[in-house]
Amino acid sequence: MIGTAALFAQLKLRLIAGALRGDLQRKLGFVLTLVMAAGVAVLGFGLMTLVRLAPRDVATDVVIVAYTAILVGWMVVPLLAFGLDDTLDPARLALFPLRTRDLATGLLAASATGAWPVATLAVVAGALAGLADGPGGALVGLVAVLLQFALCLVLSRLVTTSLSGALRTRRGRDLLAVAALFVVLLAQLPNLLLNAGLGDPGAMLRGAAGVLRWTPPGLLAHAMADGGLTGLAEVAVVALLVVLAAWLWIKALNRALVTPDASTQAASVREGGGLADRFLPDGPLAAVVAKELKYLRREPRFRVLWFSAIAVSGVIAFSLSSNTPGGAGPWLPVAVTSMAAVMIALQSGNLFGIDGPSLWMNVMAIGSEEGFRTDLAGRHLAGAIVATPLLLVVSVAASLFTGHPGAIPLAFLAAWGALGVGLGVGAVTSVVIPYTVPERMNAFTGAAPGQGGQAFASAMGAFAGIFALSLPLAIPIALGLGWLCAVAPVYGLLVETLGRRLGATIGFARMPELVAAVSKPT
Amino acid sequence: MTDAVRTHALLKRYGPQVAVAGVDLVVPAGSFAGLVGPNGAGKTTTLSMVTGLLRPDGGRAEVGGLDVWRDQLQVKARIGVLPEGLRLFERLSGRELLLYCGRLRGIPRADVERRAAELLRVMDLEDAAGKLVVDYSTGMRKKIGLAAALLHNPAVLFLDEPFEGVDPVSASTLTEVLRRYTASGSTVIFSSHVMDLVERLCDWVSVMSGGRIVAQGPIGEVRGGHSLNEAFLRLVGGPRTGGDAGLSWLGAQPASPPASGEEG
């Protein structure tokens, strides 16, 4: 047993150390992770110790909430980052002659090894210093700390193992890619609530702790504060729960090891020409628009991008309108809607990134600069077809919300201009600084390993370009010449056309390099 | 008659490493040509440069007498390509993929639909035509890739490892289609490791090793009375050591069962 555990812990250390042999970026990432984990450990431990200064009941509440948050983090984060840790997928180990019990011990040992587990242990142990009283409290508290750590490990494994079958199928991964976004948004929720000034933090803490009091982490935190017989009973209950979870996990592991991969059995999709073929003349343009619209619907990375564009503009709109002193002027809906348009257009700053390695098919079919221009036009048109109704909704909502219904047409027209400018700039950045969008996006990177710099440069370039090219209209509009909004769509179209032509000239000349840049392994 | 493919001193470097060191590939029009060579010989790199997917560091490539890089429009209309790795537009169904490829080349929709339907039938992909390419198996991907490469009726077809990982049924479908295609006077160039297959299908063979062409010509001449496999091993320098050195433990019966780990 000990041998297996040590072996797996070594395997995990080797895997971590393997990052050190990679290129500079991976080394930097490794160092950054270490620094962050150390920071979290020290800061967390310190904060948890400081709880002692708070009144007793508040301290208990804080620890209850913190323990629950840590446990939830352990359950959710590995799921979103599935694939980061090679020891997480039991299928990799299925062929080794290991009994399930040995395997389970080993996997737990691997889970407990690493920078983040150590950081977790430090934070969890901080509560001991912050909450426990007397020798009884210290003893019960020590057990509680170890149980909380074990609970994190076992439940995290239970979740990834029972979902590992689903995670290996295409559909499961597609769903998860979008789900990851919801978690990121959810993390923004407390921030937004506090910003909006709903309720006081003290009451919210009491409410949350009251709900979480009887969850396993809540029991542990309470036991630590209690330190008497009640505490002992609570610790015993959680210990039972840990054993039960471990047993469930071994069952799930057994099943996962013998369940075949069924990911290639898929149903047909709904086909049909749709919008593009009804309104566009037959030809390459209609083909590109039809393909792009299908991709927008079916490709999870597109779903994530569009969803985040809308969510980010929502957040911006919310904070802009609630933080404006003395009520919002009619410029606000115009600004908000234009901002949303820029957010949508920014997705087009790397038009070929999602096509990725399949872009060669386009390259083989496109033999002239005009063909490349058509490809760009089709992509822009498809984006505009989806963006138009969205921007209409945003302009109406923003105008009504700020009490300026008269601003609806202005906001919508200005947004069209912003969209055009964004697409035009994006056409150029797409061919000058292309980069691969990884198959599985997470909240931390939007580019293939080694291309983070390109992604950053592309975004910055797009921002700078959009900003500079928007000024000729944005400044007079901001100064009160609202009617200029009517000119905005024309201006946007002009910039889009110029950008598209420039992009096609540059892009056609460097098509092989373009394919290479978006075909990096991820 | 001009050659279907002719390259002059084609060169590609990756940093200090020379992947293709001056290749003069010649393939006569109408031939079924095999490009063979060990791993890392530069086959894929050569094919990528001839098809315009990779920019050469030196030399020229011509297809049907037209320069691949100067006359892109005409060359691209004349060639069909199935590169290795099979990256296709994954989120289109098989039928949609064919429609997209055909229409992107400016073929009218009605024509593309007819051709796609026939190709799907011949490739035995009718049942899977409505499924997303991302859910296809390797054999199905090779077949849909070949269908996409044939859709615009190219004069020269480039295939990189078309039979790798393909089941025997799909492989025979693929060879059948290719035979019919060359019988009409079109040219096929494919790279492969499988000598038997090259020997069976091809009438022209080019052997690459270490980034160069080491032999090229009608298959009978290159073979010179041996099997192609023997001729190939002789040309590229065969197995360097005897197979019997070392590995004496392999296949020996263990004296006792191996230690079964810790007993808990």
Side-chain angles (χ1 to χ4, degrees):
Chain A
M1 285 292 250
I2 305 298
T4 322
L7 191 66
F8 271 79
Q10 275 174 20
L11 169 68
K12 180 71 173 288
L13 287 177
R14 279 276 159 79
L15 285 169
I16 295 172
L20 275 177
R21 245 171 284 155
D23 51 18
L24 185 68
Q25 196 177 4
R26 286 183 64 181
K27 281 181 197 160
L28 283 180
F30 177 73
V31 172
L32 194 67
T33 309
L34 275 190
V35 170
M36 270 166 60
V40 166
V42 172
L43 198 70
F45 186 85
L47 284 177
M48 292 293 255
T49 316
L50 285 181
V51 165
R52 191 168 279 281
L53 303 179
R56 191 89 182 132
D57 55 333
V58 175
T60 312
D61 287 353
V62 168
V63 175
I64 288 175
V65 172
Y67 268 30
T68 313
I70 291 171
L71 182 65
V72 170
W74 267 82
M75 286 164 70
V76 173
V77 172
L79 207 55
L80 301 180
F82 196 81
L84 286 185
D85 181 355
D86 289 325
T87 60
L88 278 184
D89 188 355
R92 281 176 194 273
L93 304 164
L95 287 179
F96 289 101
L98 285 171
R99 257 174 268 111
T100 310
R101 205 188 38 190
D102 288 346
L103 190 59
T105 323
L107 287 176
L108 274 187
S111 272
T113 316
W116 289 111
V118 172
T120 306
L121 196 57
V123 177
V124 171
L128 190 60
L131 210 55
D133 268 332
L139 209 63
V140 172
L142 189 65
V143 178
V145 164
L146 292 178
L147 275 177
Q148 163 78 3
F149 190 54
L151 199 63
C152 286
L153 297 186
V154 173
L155 278 188
S156 140
R157 285 292 185 179
L158 178 62
V159 169
T160 46
T161 305
S162 35
L163 290 180
S164 66
L167 290 181
R168 274 198 297 273
T169 66
R170 202 236 327 144
R171 240 164 237 287
R173 276 179 278 123
D174 285 7
L175 265 178
L176 206 66
V178 183
L181 202 70
F182 277 100
V183 175
V184 172
L185 273 185
L186 223 57
Q188 285 295 310
L189 201 62
N191 191 10
L192 280 180
L193 285 180
L194 284 181
N195 249 350
L198 303 174
D200 77 301
M204 275 166 73
L205 178 69
R206 251 196 315 285
V211 174
L212 300 173
R213 161 73 180 85
W214 296 104
T215 60
L219 286 175
L220 286 177
H222 188 262
M224 200 178 274
D226 180 80
L229 281 179
T230 324
L232 215 55
E234 282 170 327
V235 166
V237 168
V238 178
L240 270 178
L241 280 176
V242 170
V243 172
L244 180 72
W247 180 77
L248 277 177
W249 173 52
I250 289 178
K251 287 273 152 222
L253 195 58
N254 264 331
R255 211 170 50 99
L257 289 177
V258 294
T259 310
D261 183 359
S263 51
T264 53
Q265 289 152 21
S268 295
V269 291
R270 196 164 52 84
E271 289 180 342
L275 218 56
D277 287 315
R278 220 169 306 147
F279 294 106
L280 288 171
D282 184 25
L285 184 67
V288 176
V289 174
K291 173 223 151 203
E292 281 297 305
L293 287 177
K294 283 180 186 125
Y295 256 66
L296 288 180
R297 207 169 61 225
R298 293 176 190 163
E299 171 61 67
R301 286 173 286 176
F302 266 123
R303 279 185 236 156
V304 171
L305 284 175
W306 278 87
F307 193 82
S308 36
I310 295 164
V312 168
S313 12
V315 170
I316 290 176
F318 196 73
S319 31
L320 264 184
S321 53
S322 56
N323 291 345
T324 311
W331 58 270
L332 189 64
V334 174
V336 165
T337 319
S338 304
M339 199 86 82
V342 170
M343 286 298 152
I344 289 172
L346 273 180
Q347 299 175 40
S348 307
N350 186 29
L351 278 174
F352 305 102
I354 286 182
D355 278 355
S358 41
L359 186 65
W360 70 268
M361 299 194 90
N362 278 7
V363 170
M364 286 318 301
I366 293 172
S368 65
E369 205 177 299
E370 199 198 335
F372 201 98
R373 216 151 49 221
T374 310
D375 190 21
L376 284 177
R379 288 165 198 264
H380 283 174
L381 199 53
I385 287 173
V386 182
T388 303
L390 276 177
L391 290 177
L392 190 61
V393 170
V394 173
S395 62
V396 170
S399 305
L400 293 182
F401 192 63
T402 52
H404 298 283
I408 292 176
L410 293 183
F412 187 57
L413 290 171
W416 255 79
L419 186 68
V421 171
L423 291 176
V425 172
V428 179
T429 56
S430 294
V431 294
V432 176
I433 322 173
Y435 61 93
T436 309
V437 180
E439 206 64 54
R440 275 184 41 65
M441 293 199 296
N442 58 42
F444 313 108
T445 59
Q451 284 190 319
Q454 276 96 318
F456 183 74
S458 165
M460 284 300 114
F463 259 125
I466 293 172
F467 184 71
L469 287 169
S470 300
L471 285 183
L473 271 191
I475 290 178
I477 290 175
L479 290 177
L481 297 175
W483 58 269
L484 267 175
C485 285
V487 193
V490 181
Y491 181 71
L493 194 64
L494 181 74
V495 175
E496 190 270 342
T497 310
L498 292 176
R500 178 155 45 91
R501 296 191 85 91
L502 184 60
T505 309
I506 301 170
F508 180 71
R510 58 192 306 258
M511 276 202 295
E513 288 76 17
L514 196 58
V515 176
V518 297
S519 306
K520 295 274 186 250
T522 57
Chain B
M1 188 172 186
T2 53
D3 292 320
V5 177
R6 178 174 278 278
T7 72
H8 303 280
L10 212 52
L11 180 75
K12 184 72 195 176
R13 282 192 211 91
Y14 290 109
Q17 192 170 356
V18 181
V20 171
V23 157
D24 297 309
L25 181 73
V26 180
V27 176
S31 56
F32 201 134
L35 180 61
V36 298
N39 287 329
K43 303 187 296 287
T44 297
T45 312
T46 304
L47 287 183
S48 300
M49 287 191 287
V50 176
T51 51
L53 285 171
L54 184 67
R55 200 183 298 281
D57 291 329
R60 276 206 327 276
E62 288 173 4
V63 172
L66 295 162
D67 188 285
V68 170
W69 293 94
R70 264 206 319 274
D71 313 308
Q72 282 195 46
L73 193 57
Q74 287 117 301
V75 169
K76 282 182 177 172
R78 266 165 224 210
I79 62 175
V81 182
L82 178 62
E84 86 170 338
L86 292 163
R87 298 310 305 257
L88 309 165
F89 284 105
E90 311 274 313
R91 303 280 163 169
L92 298 180
S93 72
R95 185 184 298 115
E96 287 168 348
L97 180 72
L98 295 185
L99 288 183
Y100 173 68
C101 286
R103 297 176 72 199
L104 192 61
R105 289 173 182 277
I107 310 173
R109 187 186 167 93
D111 289 355
V112 184
E113 277 176 352
R114 206 185 56 246
R115 289 185 192 183
E118 287 177 25
L119 281 166
L120 287 169
R121 198 174 59 246
V122 172
M123 299 287 180
D124 197 22
L125 283 174
E126 275 175 315
D127 292 339
K131 288 185 186 172
L132 295 189
V133 173
V134 70
D135 295 322
Y136 275 20
S137 67
T138 308
M140 290 157 84
R141 297 167 78 92
K142 297 263 183 194
K143 287 194 286 187
I144 199 73
L146 181 60
L150 286 171
L151 197 63
H152 56 291
N153 188 24
V156 187
L157 194 56
F158 295 89
L159 313 168
D160 199 351
E161 302 282 3
F163 300 103
E164 187 118 313
V166 178
D167 68 279
V169 180
S170 300
S172 84
T173 311
L174 287 175
T175 49
E176 190 53 38
V177 172
L178 293 178
R179 277 215 171 103
R180 269 170 64 179
Y181 174 73
T182 44
S184 64
S186 306
T187 313
V188 171
I189 299 150
F190 77 99
S191 69
S192 180
H193 294 299
V194 190
M195 295 301 149
D196 289 346
L197 198 73
V198 174
E199 202 159 15
R200 195 151 50 81
L201 290 176
C202 298
D203 47 32
W204 181 274
V205 67
S206 305
V207 184
M208 279 191 82
S209 179
R212 293 171 197 284
I213 300 272
V214 290
Q216 141 169 284
I219 194 153
E221 278 177 28
V222 172
R223 231 168 33 176
H226 305 274
S227 80
L228 185 62
N229 202 38
E230 287 165 8
F232 175 74
L233 289 179
R234 215 175 48 239
L235 280 164
V236 304
R240 279 163 195 79
T241 56
D244 49 0
L247 296 187
S248 57
W249 51 271
L250 192 60
Q253 293 300 317
S256 57
S260 58
E262 305 280 336
E263 288 302 321

